[in-house]
Amino acid sequence: MGAESKNEPIPMKTPFQLEHRLGHRILRWVLSVTLISGILLGTMQIILDARRVSDELDDHAAQTMALVKDAATQAVFSIDNELARQVVEGLFEQNGMRFASITHPNGEALATKTRALKEPYYRPATDLIFDAERSYHSPLIRSADPEIVFGDLELTYDTANVAASWLERACLTFISGIAQAVILGLALCLVYHLLLTRPLLRIIHSLTKVNPDHPDDKLLALPRTHERDELGLWVNATNNLLVAIAENQQKHREAEEKVTRLSRYDNLTGLPSRETLLGFLNSAIEDDRRNKQILSVFCCGIDDFRSANDQYGYQTGDKILRTVADRLSEQRDGSHLIAGRLGGDQFVVIEKHLRDDYQAAATAEWLLQVFSRPIRIDDRQVFITGTIGIALFPPDGSGADKLLQRAEQTMTLAKRTGGNQFQFYVASVDLQIRERKKLEQDLALALPGGQFHLVYQPQIHLESQRIIGAEALLRWNHPERGLVPPDEFIPLAELNGTIVEIGQWVLEQACWRAALWAANGNPIRIAVNLSAIQLRQDTIVEKVLETLKRHAIPPGRLELEVTETSFMENLDDAVAKLKRLRSAGITIAVDDFGTGYSSLTYLKRMPVQHLKIDKQFIRDLLVNEDDTRIANTIIDLGKSLNLSVIAEGVETAEQEFYLRQRGCELAQGYYFSKPLLPEDFEKFVVSFHRKIIAHNT
Ligand code: C2E
Ligand code: CA
Ligand code: CA
């Protein structure tokens, strides 16, 4: 066999063609052999029979002659024609007799008789074997004088009769021989089919079901009743082979996996190596490009790792690296971190799905802690620190290589200016984030340091021109920077959760103020902004109600302003809490309405009473068509849902006039007053109402 043909697959569909089946080949062979042997044996039998038949004919003639010999001798001896004739007639009683004569020695016939030769159709064939007729003669002698021949007896037989019965037997022998051969062949075939072909086909069928990738998944089914014969042995042997192949494949796969693991993952720490990490980074970049999110690459180096190695030895150095790697692999709650090792003392962490760069700074702080937490090795504590360079996608590059390179570069720079810190690739971003970080640290001191106070902005009922409420707004007087706008510090407080504490302080202050004003005969409704983070607190409802109670404020005097985003995250939870607040009598207002989802579905579910049109739509009211249309729509929506609408940021008389005649119920803005310190607010209320009265009279 040629070398090429060794691995050629055997076509699986053709073997089941009928003429190729083993059963049919067996049938052909068995039939040929039994037929040939039947024919040979039959022919032999027929030949022997023919020999026997012709011998019998001769015997029969000899007996007949012996029987009539005495009577015939008597007839020639006494020249008795009558006797001779009777003998001849007697001989002709026999069916096959063709010719009989009794003659004197001189040839003169005493009696003679002839019958015509029969002419059956088989004659030409049988005459070849038996001849057409057979003649016998015998000298007629008396026992008294045996030397004298008195005459001659001659007989001739027609062979047609014996040939006929011989032929009949020959045909029968022949036909039964063939029939036997055919029956034997068919029976053999059937047995073969039942015992071999059928179970074999079943085995072949289950063999085609074997999965080459996992050959032991579906082993061959053992054909029933063949458990102990050659087929059963064959199936068992094949199954053993399949299992062995599967085991081999498994070992092979494991070896392959080990090889790829070794090449793709760092040997010491088990973290992804640089190449693998670049792959992860590329797909993470694609992810965030699609989601329009920010991705951050942190390159982290251990500060002065070489001296740690020198001081503690290389084994300890390895343990330090492994500990850092283990800590990096532990996921931080709610973040999407992937860690890898670049080699030496350098690690990389990728963080996906960031909202802003400030979140990256929070992760960097967490990473610094990962390094600075004491490491226990044997009986001693080892202290190290890390330095982190940060590159952001998309601002700092769009390719994995570039981002990684920039993060590394930034880390090297940061190490030069001292360790245990993080640095962003772009200097201005770094500065800005550093400032925010500083502000966040300062914010922690604001509440205990008494740096907060509240200002109040009046809310005016447009039709009656009366002040019916005030929005409490938070102010932070920073010891160095002076007043910091809430838009700058509230998001920071929301990020680190301190808004919960700050918000409670605001509520406390506002209630205290409301109680004071009410006691002074000015029972005004106070609107307090409630952050999404506050609303998420499990105890928020109890806290609000408890505060009201403590200051003896009727719940109707408090309005809580919530933004759409704050209840969209967990609608059911928010609805449940707001419903409880509402049923206690507190008014709920949707702040910044129109800037978020503004969906009718949630408005219908929400227990709200007020919609606050955001100031961005009021600013360009009557200038920008879109803004005017949005303001109108919100006013109409409020009317149809039976909600009061408050316009905030009203700065001009035109805006106030338009809103009033358009049917907006309440307004708030610099046109009336900026947010005021409490004492100024009190004065403002008095002067505003006096002005209105004067104007009306
Ligand atoms: P806000 O709730 O939409 O508050 C209205 C903001 O618009 C206030 O800014 C207010 O001073 C300003 N404003 C009022 N009238 C006018 C006007 O006619 N023209 C213009 N251009 N602006 C006007 P502020 O006090 O700087 O507050 C900014 C945001 O900070 C607030 O937006 C609110 O979201 C948040 N905030 C303020 N105090 C608190 C608080 O105590 N708790 C919480 N959670 N958030 C607060
Ligand atoms: Ca507000
Ligand atoms: Ca607003």
Side-chain angles (χ1 to χ4, degrees):
M1 225 185 248
E4 326 65 47
S5 63
K6 213 166 98 186
N7 289 329
E8 254 175 42
I10 303 148
M12 278 309 285
K13 278 178 187 151
T14 42
F16 299 123
Q17 281 174 12
L18 221 56
E19 68 268 25
H20 291 301
R21 283 199 183 171
L22 275 178
H24 286 263
R25 281 162 66 181
I26 295 264
L27 180 66
R28 278 210 303 267
W29 272 98
V30 168
L31 273 184
S32 319
V33 170
T34 47
L35 272 178
I36 291 169
S37 61
I39 289 169
L40 280 178
L41 287 174
T43 312
M44 248 148 73
Q45 234 174 312
I46 289 162
I47 290 171
L48 285 176
D49 192 36
R51 233 202 239 149
R52 190 179 51 80
V53 164
S54 80
D55 285 352
E56 268 174 13
L57 195 65
D58 293 346
D59 286 352
H60 179 72
Q63 275 171 20
T64 307
M65 261 193 305
L67 215 66
V68 295
K69 204 170 177 178
D70 284 345
T73 311
Q74 189 58 43
V76 271
F77 181 71
S78 52
I79 314 172
D80 185 346
N81 280 16
E82 185 49 31
L83 185 61
R85 197 190 54 78
Q86 277 175 5
V87 169
V88 167
E89 282 300 331
L91 284 171
F92 264 79
E93 294 283 293
Q94 290 179 13
N95 220 350
M97 197 57 73
R98 150 106 171 90
F99 170 78
S101 71
I102 300 170
T103 47
H104 285 291
N106 57 8
E108 185 192 328
L110 210 61
T112 177
K113 192 167 179 176
T114 310
R115 209 185 252 161
L117 214 57
K118 289 184 182 151
E119 285 303 335
Y121 65 93
Y122 48 78
R123 173 115 257 169
T126 52
D127 281 357
L128 293 176
I129 301 166
F130 300 112
D131 299 329
E133 50 190 21
R134 293 218 184 166
S135 297
Y136 307 90
H137 60 92
S138 160
L140 297 173
I141 297 161
R142 278 173 56 129
S143 46
D145 19 32
E147 283 95 43
I148 304 163
V149 175
F150 294 102
D152 226 14
L153 175 63
E154 198 178 339
L155 299 181
T156 300
Y157 277 96
D158 186 346
T159 60
N161 278 349
V162 285
S165 60
W166 171 82
L167 195 65
E168 204 173 287
R169 274 196 310 279
C171 283
L172 216 64
T173 309
F174 208 74
I175 288 168
S176 70
I178 288 174
Q180 245 175 342
V182 170
I183 289 167
L184 194 69
L186 288 176
L188 260 176
C189 241
L190 185 70
V191 168
Y192 186 86
H193 176 78
L194 291 177
L195 286 184
L196 221 56
T197 310
R198 205 163 58 163
L200 261 180
L201 283 177
R202 286 200 182 135
I203 292 171
I204 289 165
H205 182 72
S206 62
L207 204 54
T208 58
K209 292 270 183 307
V210 171
N211 177 356
D213 292 330
H214 298 280
D216 57 343
D217 270 6
K218 252 193 188 165
L219 292 179
L220 304 190
L222 205 62
R224 250 188 306 127
T225 71
H226 290 277
E227 288 84 357
R228 284 157 184 281
D229 63 17
E230 292 89 328
L231 284 180
L233 288 179
W234 186 65
V235 166
N236 279 336
T238 310
N239 281 343
N240 287 342
L241 186 67
L242 289 177
V243 171
I245 291 173
E247 281 170 3
N248 241 339
Q249 283 182 344
Q250 181 61 22
K251 275 186 205 147
H252 201 81
R253 266 197 289 270
E254 280 167 8
E256 261 178 0
E257 265 165 29
K258 199 169 167 195
V259 169
T260 45
R261 217 177 20 247
L262 281 179
S263 66
R264 302 193 61 218
Y265 291 84
D266 174 47
N267 229 348
L268 178 68
T269 62
L271 290 179
S273 60
R274 180 188 281 265
E275 292 309 309
T276 316
L277 205 77
L278 279 174
F280 288 155
L281 186 53
N282 267 322
S283 60
I285 287 173
E286 272 321 301
D287 251 22
D288 281 344
R289 195 198 302 279
R290 246 178 283 121
N291 300 334
K292 298 209 165 33
Q293 282 174 314
I294 292 178
L295 176 143
S296 178
V297 179
F298 304 88
C299 181
C300 320
I302 298 175
D303 295 328
D304 211 9
F305 184 63
R306 190 182 300 175
S307 54
N309 254 341
D310 292 344
Q311 192 183 338
Y312 303 114
Y314 282 97
Q315 273 194 332
T316 306
D318 282 355
K319 281 184 185 161
I320 293 174
L321 292 173
R322 271 203 293 266
T323 310
V324 170
D326 288 348
R327 289 179 183 176
L328 288 176
S329 318
E330 286 164 15
Q331 281 293 324
R332 200 157 63 105
D333 287 346
S335 59
H336 306 268
L337 300 184
I338 306 166
R341 184 180 174 211
L342 289 188
D345 62 2
Q346 291 192 9
F347 295 90
V348 172
V349 174
I350 301 167
E351 185 170 29
K352 306 192 280 182
H353 309 329
L354 294 175
R355 276 189 314 273
D356 53 23
D357 42 18
Y358 198 65
Q359 246 187 311
T363 304
E365 281 192 323
W366 178 80
L367 286 171
L368 286 179
Q369 275 183 27
V370 161
F371 285 92
S372 59
R373 254 157 53 206
I375 298 171
R376 235 203 131 69
I377 292 173
D378 303 330
D379 282 337
R380 52 170 182 243
Q381 302 246 35
V382 177
F383 294 92
I384 55 159
T385 52
T387 297
I388 300 167
I390 308 168
L392 299 170
F393 166 84
D396 300 343
S398 55
D401 268 334
K402 197 106 234 143
L403 282 173
L404 198 57
Q405 183 204 331
R406 294 199 157 152
E408 280 187 84
Q409 194 182 320
T410 312
M411 186 203 66
T412 316
L413 275 176
K415 269 195 173 178
R416 271 187 218 151
T417 58
N420 196 18
Q421 57 164 341
F422 62 84
Q423 188 170 319
F424 282 84
Y425 172 69
V426 175
S428 60
V429 172
D430 192 60
L431 189 68
Q432 194 196 332
I433 286 178
R434 238 168 248 289
E435 277 173 1
R436 280 180 76 182
K437 266 282 143 216
K438 171 84 171 57
L439 202 65
E440 197 183 332
Q441 284 159 11
D442 294 348
L443 187 63
L445 304 173
L447 200 56
Q451 295 164 8
F452 287 131
H453 68 270
L454 292 185
V455 289
Y456 298 87
Q457 188 173 37
Q459 295 178 327
I460 283 91
H461 189 260
L462 286 175
E463 207 182 332
S464 62
Q465 290 291 303
R466 290 198 64 84
I467 299 170
I468 56 99
E471 179 178 4
L473 292 157
L474 183 60
R475 294 292 174 264
W476 177 18
N477 204 350
H478 189 278
E480 289 146 32
R481 293 176 47 180
L483 275 181
V484 181
D487 285 333
E488 214 171 294
F489 70 83
I490 297 268
L492 285 182
E494 285 182 328
L495 261 183
N496 65 21
T498 48
I499 188 67
V500 174
E501 216 182 323
I502 296 172
Q504 180 57 33
W505 180 86
V506 171
L507 186 69
E508 203 79 49
Q509 276 290 306
C511 287
W512 177 81
R513 184 62 65 186
L516 193 69
W517 282 339
N520 293 343
N522 196 7
I524 218 162
R525 185 178 67 200
I526 306 280
V528 173
N529 292 287
L530 193 73
S531 155
I533 314 293
Q534 285 176 275
L535 188 60
R536 239 180 268 157
Q537 299 281 302
D538 288 335
T539 53
I540 184 67
V541 178
E542 287 76 17
K543 273 193 192 166
V544 171
L545 297 179
E546 194 263 321
T547 312
L548 284 177
K549 212 172 181 184
R550 197 146 20 85
H551 295 279
I553 306 279
R557 196 121 357 119
L558 180 69
E559 174 163 297
L560 290 175
E561 297 191 1
V562 290
T563 54
E564 295 165 272
T565 36
S566 68
F567 44 74
M568 288 319 286
E569 262 185 24
N570 190 347
L571 193 60
D572 293 335
D573 180 56
V575 169
K577 285 173 179 163
L578 293 178
K579 274 193 174 150
R580 283 171 62 204
L581 290 167
R582 174 64 206 141
S583 62
I586 296 166
T587 315
I588 311 291
V590 183
D591 204 355
D592 303 340
F593 190 74
T595 59
Y597 304 93
S598 311
S599 112
L600 271 178
T601 347
Y602 87 69
L603 259 193
K604 273 172 67 185
R605 286 188 60 190
M606 280 290 158
V608 297
Q609 287 76 54
H610 289 172
L611 295 182
K612 284 191 94 172
I613 309 177
D614 191 66
K615 56 181 176 288
Q616 79 180 74
F617 305 117
I618 305 298
R619 188 178 54 215
D620 291 333
L621 192 70
L622 307 173
V623 181
N624 182 313
E625 262 184 47
D626 285 343
D627 289 347
T628 315
R629 203 176 304 124
I630 290 171
N632 287 341
T633 309
I634 297 174
I635 294 168
D636 294 339
L637 186 69
K639 280 183 191 159
S640 61
L641 291 177
N642 208 14
L643 305 173
S644 310
V645 175
I646 310 181
E648 72 174 10
V650 179
E651 292 187 353
T652 67
E654 290 79 18
Q655 290 167 350
E656 190 265 353
F657 176 77
Y658 179 81
L659 290 163
R660 179 150 43 98
Q661 57 86 30
R662 191 65 184 69
C664 176
E665 212 172 306
L666 303 163
Q668 172 186 349
Y670 295 171
Y671 173 66
F672 306 103
S673 167
K674 290 203 165 186
L676 299 168
L677 289 169
E679 312 80 60
D680 297 335
F681 183 84
E682 286 160 29
K683 286 180 203 148
F684 175 79
V685 174
V686 176
S687 73
F688 183 81
H689 286 154
R690 196 178 294 143
K691 226 189 305 172
I692 298 297
I693 294 163
H695 181 263
N696 287 349
T697 49

